Amino acid sequence: MHEPKAMVKPPTSFMREKWTKLDQYISIALFILHILCIFAPFHFNWRAFWVSFALYVITGLSISVSYHRNLAHKSFELPKVLEYFFAYCAAHALQGDPIDWVSTHRCHHQFVDTNRDPHSPIQGFWFSHILWLFDSYTLTKRVCPKYFTDFKKIERSIIIWFSKHGRPDNVRDLEKQAFYRFIHKTYLLHHVAFAVLLYEVGGLPFLIWGTCVRIVVLLHITFMVNSVCHIWGKRRWNTKDLSKNNRLVGLLAFGEGWHNNHHAFEYSARFGIEWWEYDPGGRKPYYMNVDSLDGGKSNLGHSGYGSQTKHLNLDIKESYPGDAINFATKGTNSIRITCLYCRSVDYQIAC
């Protein structure tokens, strides 16, 4: 199994003079949200509670289905109307606009559990959980150094939620689309408008429960994927990182807690492999009417030799025993072989 990596000293710029306007806005916003949650018990009613719960499910599931599986990894395709709808729902989780979120996540997979990983626990639990959000200066310099000069020159506006890495070049597919550019430039305005709407409909209970409590709870559950799921849990697959499967996070985060599965098969739309691994974000009903549901554009399967093998025109049974491998595909050009005995995922075969 892959041994844990050595801890490195966390960056300390967020404790010194390197606070950017982005860091200040994020810290102030999170502080206010957490403080307002203190008043939640004094403004409780069941209508507000169920509104909060419904929004938690909608925005949390959209983060998993849209931001993570659809946009970041392109595990499946949706008609543009549905793609934009789920992305807009996910944007209301206050975890960043699609361009920012996808860029950060792709950097995470590219540099996973190294010094260039935006949020790895090798720099400390609390850094991977939340402190990385307040360190855009150091993160940009470390993760995307070629954009660091431009990043220092940017005059940040409170209306715009700027990318964590300045001008990332790993989200060109999203930057080409006017919808995502619009959300990127007007991100906070959508949250303000929705908060006003909740207040007008249900007063302070709806505002506090539907906005503050819901956002804070979902933020920390998502943060647990970055921190807890790289420290505590079980490792089914021998991946070259610290990812682990955590049942509690899997339950709370709509299947995101099966993190070791995900890092082993990062292009698959399903994170839960076994029947008992709760993964609502990977269930087929969310992908009804997508193009090529069981073909190369939609990687819903993890094991066996179903439609993906037929699509690739590759009979791997001749080389590997049928009960000894799993595989996940990326597009139609390669197939990743994983031995179920040693759990190694070091083999990749071009088709």
Side-chain angles (χ1 to χ4, degrees), residues 14 34 41 68 80 84 87 96 126 133 137 167 206 211 218 234-235 250 256 262 265 294 313 318 322 327-328 336:
F14 56 86
H34 282 76
H68 196 183
K80 281 299 179 182
Y84 292 159
W126 288 111
L133 290 171
Y137 187 92
R167 283 189 344 205
F206 272 36
T211 299
L218 185 56
K234 295 183 178 180
R235 288 176 55 81
E256 295 287 327
H262 169 54
F265 303 99
D294 288 317
N313 296 318
E318 296 180 359
F327 66 90
R336 198 174 187 183

Side-chain angles (χ1 to χ4, degrees), residues 88 91-92 94 96-99 157-162 178-194:
Y88 190 72
H92 284 281
L94 198 63
D97 67 89
I99 290 177
S157 167
I158 195 170
I159 298 178
I160 302 177
W161 189 281
F162 278 92
F179 174 80
Y180 294 118
R181 294 197 304 270
F182 171 74
I183 297 298
H184 181 68
K185 293 179 179 179
T186 61
Y187 182 64
L188 290 184
L189 293 180
H190 300 275
H191 288 277
V192 173
F194 191 64

Side-chain angles (χ1 to χ4, degrees), residues 30-62:
L30 290 181
F31 178 78
I32 293 175
L33 285 172
H34 282 76
I35 290 297
L36 289 177
C37 287
I38 298 175
F39 299 96
F42 306 104
H43 294 277
F44 174 84
N45 64 55
W46 284 109
R47 287 183 62 213
F49 173 83
W50 288 116
V51 166
S52 176
F53 180 77
L55 290 174
Y56 157 76
V57 172
I58 293 171
T59 55
L61 195 55
S62 295

Side-chain angles (χ1 to χ4, degrees), residues 62-80:
S62 295
I63 284 286
S64 181
V65 172
S66 174
Y67 275 19
H68 196 183
R69 309 180 201 224
N70 180 215
L71 299 182
H73 293 286
K74 295 188 175 297
S75 300
F76 61 93
E77 290 186 355
L78 286 171
K80 281 299 179 182

Side-chain angles (χ1 to χ4, degrees), residues 3 30 44 74 79 135 154 167 231 253 264 299 312 325 333:
E3 295 297 328
L30 290 181
F44 174 84
K74 295 188 175 297
D135 201 19
I154 293 176
R167 283 189 344 205
I231 298 177
N299 301 324
L312 292 167
I325 66 167
N333 297 321

Side-chain angles (χ1 to χ4, degrees), residues 9 15 18 20 33 59 100 145 181 209 251 276 294 298:
K9 186 177 181 180
M15 297 296 292
K18 299 297 184 181
T20 65
L33 285 172
T59 55
D100 175 27
R181 294 197 304 270
W209 282 89
L251 178 64
W276 46 266
D294 288 317
S298 179

